[in-house]
Amino acid sequence: MTTPFQRARSEEQRAVRRQAILDSAAAMLTEMPVAQVSLNELSRRVGLAKSNVLRYFESREAVLLELLDTALREWLDRLDGTLATAIDATTGPYERGDQLAGAMADTLAARPVLCDLVSAQAAVLERNVSPRIAAEYKRATIANVTVLVRLIRAHLPELDEPDATKYAAAAVMSTGAVWTHAQPSAAMLAAYEADPALAVMRMDFTRTLRELLEVLATGLLTRALRGFPA
């Protein structure tokens, strides 16, 4: 049941309302995948009519893009601390590349909500927003990628900024793609159980992502160390 809407009279009140909406959406994502998060249910949980929620966010997708940005920043903070102990600076570049890949895959696997949001980003979340929201989100994305590039280069200085940027972008895109394929439907799970020969197609998220990132790092390092053009 919704409560009577009272317009926020100050920026502070608007900020409180916006945060309540974001908190409700974040709680929903711990219970259900992105695809099942609806504006109707979000409105019910936050205690406002849908039209009133839309006073603060122009669409469901705008809410989820803001949560994605927050989740990415939280992951980057965690990754920064993890890399400090996960990477042995005394080893060679290929070993450090593997260690970087492992740390990234492990920390992403520990954040299923982030992975689910990333998997929906291009195909869903960016499709129902205004140019203003799209621009705001892309500016935030650039800031996040800049942080990730800095972390990569801190541990793989053999990569220049363009190559580290390629690695960062490919890592994010691979995360979304692998997550989607590593979440089989109920029908697929039943098929795997009925015919074990099909189970070879089932993908483990952490292992698959780690292997992809290892190969990517190896390729970029090999080209860099041999002086090949980017």
Side-chain angles (χ1 to χ4, degrees), residues 60-115:
R60 176 193 81 119
E61 289 75 15
V63 176
L64 295 175
L65 281 177
E66 189 157 334
L67 289 177
L68 173 54
D69 174 51
T70 299
L72 279 170
R73 287 187 278 110
E74 290 173 349
W75 170 65
L76 288 168
D77 286 343
R78 175 61 177 171
L79 181 64
D80 190 6
T82 299
L83 292 177
T85 57
I87 296 185
D88 183 352
T90 66
T91 59
Y94 295 112
E95 290 80 3
R96 282 183 276 114
D98 285 352
Q99 292 163 5
L100 173 65
M104 290 180 67
D106 287 343
T107 53
L108 284 165
R111 286 166 169 72
V113 170
L114 169 59
C115 295

Side-chain angles (χ1 to χ4, degrees), residues 13-36:
Q13 289 174 327
R14 287 185 58 81
V16 170
R17 291 260 175 89
R18 281 178 56 86
Q19 192 58 52
I21 294 168
L22 290 169
D23 290 345
S24 293
M28 291 173 68
L29 288 171
T30 65
E31 304 169 15
M32 63 189 74
V34 169
Q36 294 179 14

Side-chain angles (χ1 to χ4, degrees), residues 166-179:
K166 291 173 186 174
Y167 185 92
V172 174
M173 289 188 289
S174 297
T175 296
V178 175
W179 182 260

